[in-house]
Amino acid sequence: MEIRTLTGQDLLQAIDALAKLRIAVFAEYPYLYEGSAAYEGAYVREFVAEPGSVLVAAFDGDRIVGAATASPMASQKPAFRAPLEERGIDTGRLFYFGESVLLPEYRGQGIGHRFFDEREAVVQRAGAAAACFASVMRPADHPLRPVGYRPHDAFWTGRGYAPVEGLVTQLAWKDRGEAAESAKPMQFWLKNF
């Protein structure tokens, strides 16, 4: 297993792999995302248009089996930045950690920690003051919640991130089985450096 941070042309060459990983992993609970190749292609291309964006990729041979992204928060969509800016958080000194996706057979091997290590190193090299991410909020009694499901909260807390009380945004996507997109609440987590 090799972990590499990709930028520039290397990142561009990984677009299709990232899109496929997002569709596969986000189909699982709690995201339940019914993705499409067209949407994913557009989303990933928008992400890589920001020169400060990075993709941390886990390779098994030549195959990308996991990926995590980071990008300056100032380059994110205004609607996504707004809740932070309304709280007085300087998005010009903040990095956003997008997806962290890993195929199930590679989990439990420390790759998630490596994803955070590599992205946090990018944040520090950029001189940013903090990093954040947003996680979907689902009710504890959601009918598709698997038996024995463990949220990642303890992992994130152990890495020094904390949910910012009341700092929630909405993102819309189509859940598996939904006829149309619906808005989902997303809780922001933050770590200062």
Side-chain angles (χ1 to χ4, degrees):
M1 186 65 54
E2 182 183 6
I3 308 295
R4 294 198 317 247
T5 299
L6 309 178
T7 59
Q9 191 61 35
D10 291 335
L11 196 158
L12 289 172
Q13 291 175 355
I15 287 175
D16 291 339
L18 176 58
K20 288 176 187 172
L21 279 169
R22 281 177 45 90
I23 290 171
V25 174
F26 284 150
E28 300 171 11
Y29 185 88
Y31 286 89
L32 305 172
Y33 171 61
E34 188 174 295
S36 73
Y39 173 84
E40 289 302 316
Y43 165 82
V44 174
R45 280 172 179 60
E46 181 179 308
F47 166 77
V48 300
E50 162 55 49
S53 296
V54 299
L55 170 72
V56 181
F59 286 86
D60 186 351
D62 292 336
R63 180 178 169 225
I64 296 177
V65 298
T69 60
S71 186
M73 188 62 170
S75 67
Q76 301 300 310
K77 293 180 182 184
F80 201 62
R81 291 191 323 261
L84 297 156
E85 292 168 346
E86 288 167 5
R87 284 280 186 104
I89 297 171
D90 181 1
T91 56
R93 306 240 14 238
L94 181 65
F95 256 70
Y96 177 67
F97 289 176
E99 54 281 306
S100 185
V101 290
L102 184 63
L103 294 176
E105 59 269 30
Y106 294 92
R107 296 176 189 163
Q109 301 175 32
I111 296 169
H113 281 289
R114 287 288 309 277
F115 284 167
F116 272 90
D117 292 344
E118 297 297 324
R119 293 185 296 179
E120 289 173 358
V122 169
V123 170
Q124 292 175 330
R125 283 193 301 271
C132 71
F133 60 87
S135 65
V136 67
M137 301 168 69
R138 296 283 189 179
D141 63 349
H142 192 283
L144 296 179
R145 181 183 174 123
V147 173
Y149 172 76
R150 291 182 325 180
H152 298 317
D153 297 20
F155 173 78
W156 296 328
T157 302
R159 296 283 320 186
Y161 292 82
V164 181
E165 188 173 333
L167 189 52
V168 176
T169 192
Q170 301 280 325
L171 289 180
W173 66 81
K174 185 177 171 185
D175 273 0
R176 293 186 337 240
E178 275 188 327
E181 288 187 353
S182 62
K184 280 71 170 185
M186 302 285 290
Q187 170 68 57
F188 277 103
W189 291 65
L190 184 73
K191 177 180 179 177
N192 291 309
F193 289 92

